[in-house]
Amino acid sequence: MIKITFPDGSVREYESGVSAYDIAMSISPRLAADVLAASVNGAVYDLERPITEDATLKLHKWEDEEAKKVFWHSSSHLMAEALETLYPGIKFGIGPAIDNGFYYDVDLGDKQITDADLKAIEDKMTEFARQGQHFVRKDVPKAEAMKTFTEKGDQYKCELIEGLEDGHISFYTNGTFTDLCRGPHLRDTSVIKAIKLTSIAGAYWRGDEHNKMLTRIYGITFPKKSMLDEYLVLLEEAKKRDHRKLGKELELFTFSNRVGQGLPLWLPKGADLRDRLQEFLKKVQKRYGYLPVITPHIGSKELYVTSGHWAHYGADSFRPITTPQEGEEYLLKPMNCPHHCEIYRSKPRSYRDLPLRFAEFGTVYRYEQSGELHGLTRVRGFTQDDAHLFCRPDQIKEEFCKVIDIILYVFKTLDFKEYEAQVSLRDPEDKEKYIGTDENWAKAESAIIEAAAEKGLNTTVKTGEAAFYGPKLDFMVKDALGRKWQLGTIQVDYNLPERFELEYIDSDDKRSRPVMIHRAPFGSMERFVAVLLEHTAGKLPLWLAPEQVVVMSLSEKYNDFAKKVCDLFNNYEIRAAIDDRNETIGKKIRENEMKRIPYLLIVGEKEAEAGTVSVRKQGGVNVGTMKIEEFVKLIKDEIYKQLN
Ligand SMILES: [Zn+2]
Ligand SMILES: [Zn+2]
């Protein structure tokens, strides 16, 4: 008999060789019908794989990420089967699950697939899904695996097998399709009830532009038809909120191939918006004792050899820049930390000076493959709202608490109501992967866990996900469409203080090493603005909106009054635009609504005579007519509330 421990801590005994599916059945057939995958001792298993030793068991239903992954990966096999049936001789690259659905990269030879063909593939998939095809796993020796795919003529799979170790190779078969695959998979295809193939793209084999371009087919599947319907509505809404589209409409940023891929150009309204966000954070940071620093955009290669970045990331970075005479090598700054370490070293530090908090909106440059670039979320140059906190080991927890306060304040002010925090710890079984002493790790990890608990964060703990140099706390926000984005991060670092030989004189006059904390509440300005635009659909909170008010004249006769009102607002530091075009008021309203301006004011004869404005809120709510001073107060009050 073996002992199975459930998430609630209860323990049951089963025969050795029992499967997660059997266990679910022993609890209730209903549960078994809903379960899609299982984690056994933390590893995701096929439901029918025998369990032969004492284990912890978690059964995964659709709601769990693990289940979705298995579901979508299985769906990619289902799609592959349909493709092979419809396009005999087709060759397969890889077909993983992704955040929302799955894809498969295929080599169609001289054939082509267009959007018009997707329906037929979906129908074939539905037909196979209904057959309830079992996913059957088979372990195979490397030679046999190679033989199978050589005979099939699938050079991509052969290339994959080449890189695998004998004794760790398995095949999965559903219906007529057999794939080289580690698994795990669903029990059978019958749970796949709703199928949608979403798009077709090109993708180089293994992401290398020297290789052949394969056809990537994306899709998504669900266990219920209604879930697919909801997803499609969401997708439509997401398209409308795409920050690349909004950025253009609101004239916030642009890209130019002549400037270079992945290098955003901030337009005046966007630059203003970014400034406002930075000023907002600077003000908060000042309250928390941060000190501003400014460092250059490049640094000597030696700096990054010292920091270890060159060894770690050098191969994937922009190549060094050399001076024409001396042949000195410089790198575009990939991160700000090494520069800040040198600022710490610029004079002797005492335990009384700590913590020291250096903050900089530092622009960094990282090479991303052109295919990976995406709007403002994946770029080659971006500005981090960076700060490095140098503290004594006994100050970590307090500093963490303060950073959490800042991050939560930022989320609240920008209307991100839902967020999760993830604590990443090291894997105690694999200590060689990490640097730093056991004692320091224990201290830092418990400091983070305690700080998160003290701040009442809803945290998940992930073992083995820490950076090699220290544990961290990451924040994921949920946007208005329920999508998750990673934003703020706080990381403890023992590595850089060591490499840069940072010191302070302790109370006992001995030299001690400070601990470094990296933190960025926004993450980067580019990414944050992108997330904010998609979250708010471009309807930014009043305090942040590029234009807070537009004054529209009812006809040309009132343009002078409109101009006067506008000037008055600007004196009060309210960002007001004027719309004095010779257009109908209906058209003016429509077009200014499109610009997502929070307040639309109309001035005509009545208003000009009485010194009032007619106030409309973005979205059409009529606030009524009021004195100009009254309106100024209304706006000021609203902004105060948003920021406090
Ligand atoms: Zn697979
Ligand atoms: Zn850093």
Side-chain angles (χ1 to χ4, degrees):
M1 298 295 271
I2 55 169
K3 284 197 180 76
I4 298 294
T5 309
F6 293 89
D8 65 358
S10 65
V11 180
R12 289 201 201 188
E13 291 210 338
Y14 291 93
E15 294 279 350
S16 175
V18 70
S19 72
Y21 183 74
D22 299 332
I23 295 173
M25 275 300 269
S26 78
I27 299 169
S28 96
R30 242 203 106 129
L31 174 67
D34 284 344
V35 167
L36 298 167
S39 287
V40 178
N41 288 331
V44 185
Y45 259 41
D46 290 320
L47 278 179
E48 290 185 334
R49 182 158 163 193
I51 304 168
T52 52
E53 53 180 16
D54 290 355
T56 59
L57 176 75
K58 187 167 187 323
L59 298 168
H60 298 299
K61 294 197 218 175
W62 174 255
E63 291 67 35
D64 294 348
E65 288 307 314
E66 291 89 343
K68 288 194 178 82
K69 233 173 165 181
V70 168
F71 196 90
W72 285 331
H73 179 60
S74 299
S75 301
S76 85
H77 282 228
L78 184 69
M79 179 170 78
E81 187 190 8
L83 286 167
E84 199 168 50
T85 310
L86 296 168
Y87 304 88
I90 181 176
K91 287 168 190 140
F92 294 93
I94 55 163
I98 51 176
D99 281 352
N100 281 298
F102 58 89
Y103 67 76
Y104 220 122
D105 285 346
V106 296
D107 182 348
L108 290 153
D110 48 11
K111 293 185 206 80
Q112 269 193 355
I113 287 184
T114 67
D115 286 343
D117 302 311
L118 295 179
K119 176 75 172 55
I121 304 168
E122 283 171 10
D123 290 346
K124 212 23 133 194
M125 287 173 74
T126 306
E127 181 190 324
F128 290 151
R130 287 199 184 131
Q131 290 171 2
Q133 299 174 348
H134 263 73
F135 283 94
V136 183
R137 182 193 166 96
K138 185 184 165 202
D139 290 306
V140 285
K142 188 166 177 171
E144 188 189 324
M146 197 54 107
K147 186 163 167 274
T148 306
F149 282 100
T150 308
E151 277 167 12
K152 205 179 159 191
D154 198 329
Q155 70 265 33
Y156 306 105
K157 294 290 174 189
C158 291
E159 212 180 305
L160 293 173
I161 294 166
E162 202 66 60
L164 296 175
E165 226 177 284
D166 200 2
H168 295 271
I169 299 177
S170 56
F171 284 174
Y172 275 83
T173 301
N174 59 297
T176 56
F177 178 73
T178 295
D179 206 352
L180 168 74
C181 180
R182 226 177 305 147
H185 278 286
L186 295 168
R187 281 184 75 227
D188 69 62
T189 57
S190 66
V191 285
I192 303 173
K193 303 278 195 207
I195 298 166
K196 180 79 194 164
L197 300 186
T198 44
S199 63
I200 303 172
Y204 292 110
W205 168 237
R206 301 200 133 172
D208 184 341
E209 60 186 351
H210 301 103
N211 288 337
K212 183 163 182 190
M213 169 90 79
L214 304 181
T215 303
R216 178 170 293 179
I217 306 175
Y218 287 96
I220 193 163
T221 50
F222 293 92
K224 275 189 198 151
K225 167 90 170 50
S226 59
M227 288 178 178
L228 174 61
D229 294 341
E230 274 168 38
Y231 175 77
L232 293 177
V233 170
L234 205 74
L235 209 61
E236 260 325 291
E237 186 56 35
K239 259 190 214 156
K240 282 187 221 151
R241 290 169 179 247
D242 189 320
H243 75 274
R244 294 167 300 177
K245 179 172 168 280
L246 290 171
K248 205 177 218 166
E249 284 171 17
L250 304 178
E251 297 179 7
L252 299 176
F253 56 87
T254 188
F255 288 89
S256 149
N257 275 337
R258 195 170 283 164
V259 169
Q261 292 189 72
L263 299 170
L265 302 172
W266 291 84
L267 302 174
K269 282 182 191 171
D272 251 357
L273 168 70
R274 198 174 124 159
D275 266 355
R276 260 190 299 286
L277 280 169
Q278 294 189 355
E279 285 310 314
F280 157 74
L281 192 57
K282 273 188 196 163
K283 224 164 135 183
V284 184
Q285 288 179 168
K286 199 164 182 185
R287 283 212 300 271
Y288 282 86
Y290 286 62
L291 306 170
V293 294
I294 296 175
T295 64
H297 286 237
I298 62 174
S300 129
K301 183 176 151 193
E302 283 311 305
L303 178 69
Y304 303 102
V305 171
T306 305
S307 71
H309 291 120
W310 177 252
H312 247 83
Y313 306 108
D316 295 318
S317 299
F318 285 111
R319 300 292 81 206
I321 307 161
T322 48
T323 56
Q325 301 279 335
E326 307 83 345
E328 294 169 45
E329 288 188 290
Y330 289 88
L331 282 182
L332 284 171
K333 179 162 77 175
M335 26 186 68
N336 305 299
C337 345
H339 289 73
H340 292 187
C341 285
E342 286 300 305
I343 291 178
Y344 180 94
R345 277 166 58 89
S346 63
K347 70 177 205 183
R349 310 286 180 182
S350 136
Y351 71 98
R352 276 189 241 100
D353 302 331
L354 304 185
L356 270 173
R357 310 177 187 91
F358 296 141
E360 176 179 20
F361 288 92
T363 303
V364 297
Y365 302 89
R366 296 183 191 168
Y367 171 70
E368 298 270 1
Q369 289 183 19
S370 54
E372 302 287 324
L373 298 171
H374 181 89
L376 289 183
T377 55
R378 283 293 279 277
V379 285
R380 286 176 171 171
F382 55 96
T383 302
Q384 295 178 311
D385 54 326
D386 214 355
H388 294 99
L389 284 46
F390 300 88
C391 65
R392 303 191 307 258
D394 63 292
Q395 293 171 319
I396 296 178
K397 183 179 155 192
E398 198 189 335
E399 285 310 301
F400 245 81
C401 283
K402 287 182 185 164
V403 178
I404 293 172
D405 282 341
I406 294 177
I407 291 179
L408 296 189
Y409 174 66
V410 167
F411 289 172
K412 184 186 142 270
T413 310
L414 289 153
D415 211 27
F416 288 106
K417 293 192 178 70
E418 282 188 74
Y419 53 83
E420 295 163 9
Q422 180 183 312
V423 181
S424 299
L425 307 177
R426 78 173 166 166
D427 180 356
E429 307 287 312
D430 196 4
K431 287 181 185 168
E432 309 84 70
K433 257 175 57 186
Y434 308 90
I435 77 135
T437 63
D438 283 355
E439 193 200 343
N440 277 342
W441 273 88
K443 256 194 245 163
E445 291 185 341
S446 63
I448 295 181
I449 292 169
E450 282 168 30
E454 212 163 277
K455 293 293 162 191
L457 296 181
N458 168 21
T459 47
T460 49
V461 176
K462 291 259 164 104
T463 305
E465 302 246 313
F468 75 92
Y469 49 78
K472 58 179 182 165
L473 181 67
D474 291 317
F475 287 81
M476 307 277 284
V477 298
K478 239 189 201 177
D479 73 8
L481 300 186
R483 298 171 300 177
K484 285 184 195 169
W485 302 82
Q486 204 217 303
L487 288 181
T489 178
I490 322 176
Q491 308 188 356
V492 180
D493 189 346
Y494 293 107
N495 180 42
L496 287 182
E498 190 79 35
R499 299 188 76 112
F500 281 87
E501 298 174 322
L502 305 184
E503 287 179 344
Y504 64 91
I505 304 299
D506 214 340
S507 53
D508 57 6
D509 276 341
K510 289 207 181 97
R511 292 168 187 281
S512 294
R513 190 130 287 167
V515 182
M516 194 170 166
I517 296 173
H518 312 249
R519 48 104 278 177
F522 293 150
S524 85
M525 299 313 294
E526 285 72 10
R527 187 177 165 79
F528 191 80
V529 167
V531 175
L532 191 61
L533 285 174
E534 301 211 359
H535 177 53
T536 58
K539 293 171 192 151
L540 296 170
L542 183 64
W543 71 272
L544 198 56
E547 280 157 342
Q548 297 168 311
V549 177
V550 57
V551 185
M552 304 174 291
S553 54
L554 209 47
S555 80
E556 275 179 27
K557 260 198 278 177
Y558 312 108
N559 281 357
D560 286 346
F561 180 64
K563 172 91 177 43
K564 230 173 77 191
V565 173
C566 239
D567 289 346
L568 191 74
F569 286 154
N570 288 323
N571 284 342
Y572 279 109
E573 290 184 350
I574 291 170
R575 296 183 290 279
I578 186 165
D579 189 347
D580 53 6
R581 294 173 301 159
N582 188 16
E583 298 285 358
T584 65
I585 195 71
K587 186 168 185 198
K588 288 184 183 182
I589 290 176
R590 264 196 318 279
E591 291 185 2
N592 287 304
E593 281 271 346
M594 281 299 290
K595 290 188 191 164
R596 277 92 168 164
I597 300 176
Y599 282 99
L600 290 77
L601 309 189
I602 302 167
V603 293
E605 186 177 359
K606 258 195 323 196
E607 287 82 7
E609 262 171 27
T612 57
V613 285
S614 268
V615 183
R616 237 180 105 95
K617 268 192 145 174
Q618 149 86 242
V621 179
N622 222 326
V623 185
T625 304
M626 58 182 77
K627 285 270 178 202
I628 294 167
E629 297 73 26
E630 259 180 279
F631 178 71
V632 170
K633 186 174 178 315
L634 178 139
I635 278 220
K636 294 276 175 193
D637 285 352
E638 190 175 332
I639 290 171
Y640 180 84
K641 255 191 231 149
Q642 286 178 347
L643 289 175
N644 289 280

